[in-house]
Amino acid sequence: MNLELINTRRNNKIYSDGINTYKIFNKGYDKRLVFLEAFITTEVEAAGVKVPPILEVTCQNDQWTFQSEPIEWKSLFTMMQEHPENIDTYLDKMVEVHTSIHKFKCPKLPIQKDKLTDYIQAADLEEGTKIDLLDMLNTCPKHKKLVHGNFTPHNVVISSKGDYIVDWNHAAQGSASADVARTYIWMQMNMPEYADIYLKKFCDATNTASRYVRNWIPIVAAARLGKKNPGEEELLNSLISVIEY
């Protein structure tokens, strides 16, 4: 099989053979996470979200693979890199796709608050700070909107068949504002000059007070800290430090 590399991610690579698309996970990637992502993706597809349908899950040489329908696409992140002069249009597209996700519900998915709680408890933070953050989380309104959990321009792909959203392994039921807080944190790490612009665009599009989203940022940053990804600690701790008691 002749495969063309389309995209490289932390835990997987995307290939095409001209007939189908293949998401090949790194060797040793947790089997449980592979099937969790397959389940969530299928649930999201059934709810009506435009995702590349998984046709087959296979394993060869200790590497799990999703086979999907062929899609000629380009990620929104790649488009931003290739045409930075169009960044404002691309940010608007990103907001359009992001808000479209939150219109759906997937009652079989995990609860966002439960996931955030687990990660905050695993974070290297003072116990008093954890308690304050968990108190803040518990007082936040309960929502059951579909949230992506890792919405970035990498995960929005533009094709002749429409706009697709990929990588659903972090999806849950919860608050759209918390979901946007996660995107804001990603942008602070990778596109800091556009983070506040994106936040404003989202709030304007959804008539959401920016303060409401910002109240989620320390909570989501602490949860991200619990994942212990190298190189993220300094920024995440700086976002947690703005916690309002």
Side-chain angles (χ1 to χ4, degrees):
M1 183 188 301
N2 294 320
L3 296 177
E4 176 188 358
L5 179 63
I6 303 297
N7 201 0
T8 299
R9 301 168 183 267
R10 177 181 297 176
N11 296 313
N12 56 75
K13 293 181 180 179
I14 311 297
Y15 295 89
S16 173
D17 63 358
I19 300 174
N20 290 298
T21 301
Y22 301 88
K23 181 175 184 175
I24 302 179
F25 293 89
N26 298 344
K27 279 193 174 183
Y29 188 71
D30 195 329
K31 176 182 178 180
R32 295 169 298 177
L33 297 180
V34 171
F35 281 93
L36 177 62
E37 182 174 344
F39 167 74
I40 291 174
T41 302
T42 303
E43 285 294 308
V44 169
E45 178 193 0
V49 183
K50 205 169 181 62
V51 302
I54 297 173
L55 303 178
E56 189 175 39
V57 181
T58 58
C59 185
Q60 188 173 2
N61 299 323
D62 197 29
Q63 284 187 280
W64 289 93
T65 298
F66 291 165
Q67 178 182 327
S68 301
E69 293 180 354
I71 302 173
E72 293 185 11
W73 56 267
K74 184 176 289 188
S75 77
L76 197 56
F77 183 77
T78 298
M79 296 170 71
M80 288 174 170
Q81 289 186 311
E82 291 178 350
H83 299 285
E85 70 277 8
N86 296 331
I87 187 67
D88 195 62
T89 299
Y90 295 146
L91 289 173
D92 286 340
K93 170 58 74 174
M94 193 171 161
V95 169
E96 176 190 328
V97 176
H98 204 175
T99 54
S100 72
I101 294 171
H102 301 147
K103 296 175 183 178
F104 293 91
K105 290 188 176 181
C106 284
K108 294 182 180 179
L109 266 57
I111 303 300
Q112 182 189 55
K113 278 193 172 187
D114 293 344
K115 296 182 68 174
L116 291 171
T117 297
D118 290 344
Y119 280 119
I120 290 172
Q121 290 175 337
D124 294 327
L125 290 167
E126 293 183 359
E127 199 60 31
T129 303
K130 286 186 184 181
I131 292 171
D132 290 330
L133 288 161
L134 290 172
D135 283 345
M136 288 176 60
L137 175 59
N138 288 332
T139 60
C140 290
K142 294 181 179 179
H143 294 284
K144 290 193 175 181
K145 295 179 179 180
L146 172 62
V147 293
H148 186 277
N150 189 32
F151 187 83
T152 76
H154 285 292
N155 293 332
V156 180
V157 296
I158 311 299
S159 79
S160 59
K161 298 181 180 180
D163 306 328
Y164 288 78
I165 308 114
V166 300
D167 284 0
W168 286 92
N169 48 313
H170 300 291
Q173 304 176 68
S175 164
S177 292
D179 204 34
V180 177
R182 170 68 189 104
T183 300
Y184 176 86
I185 291 168
W186 181 90
M187 297 191 81
Q188 282 287 3
M189 292 177 179
N190 299 277
M191 305 173 69
E193 65 272 34
Y194 301 119
D196 287 306
I197 296 172
Y198 183 77
L199 180 55
K200 184 178 187 307
K201 283 179 176 291
F202 179 90
C203 290
D204 288 346
T206 58
N207 195 28
T208 301
S210 63
R211 179 181 177 84
Y212 182 61
V213 178
R214 291 186 184 279
N215 285 343
W216 277 100
I217 291 173
I219 297 170
V220 178
R224 182 72 182 178
L225 195 63
K227 295 189 176 184
K228 298 178 172 59
N229 293 323
E232 297 184 356
E233 297 90 346
E234 184 177 355
L235 174 62
L236 293 174
N237 278 304
S238 72
L239 295 172
I240 296 166
S241 69
V242 302
I243 181 174
E244 295 184 4
Y245 297 90

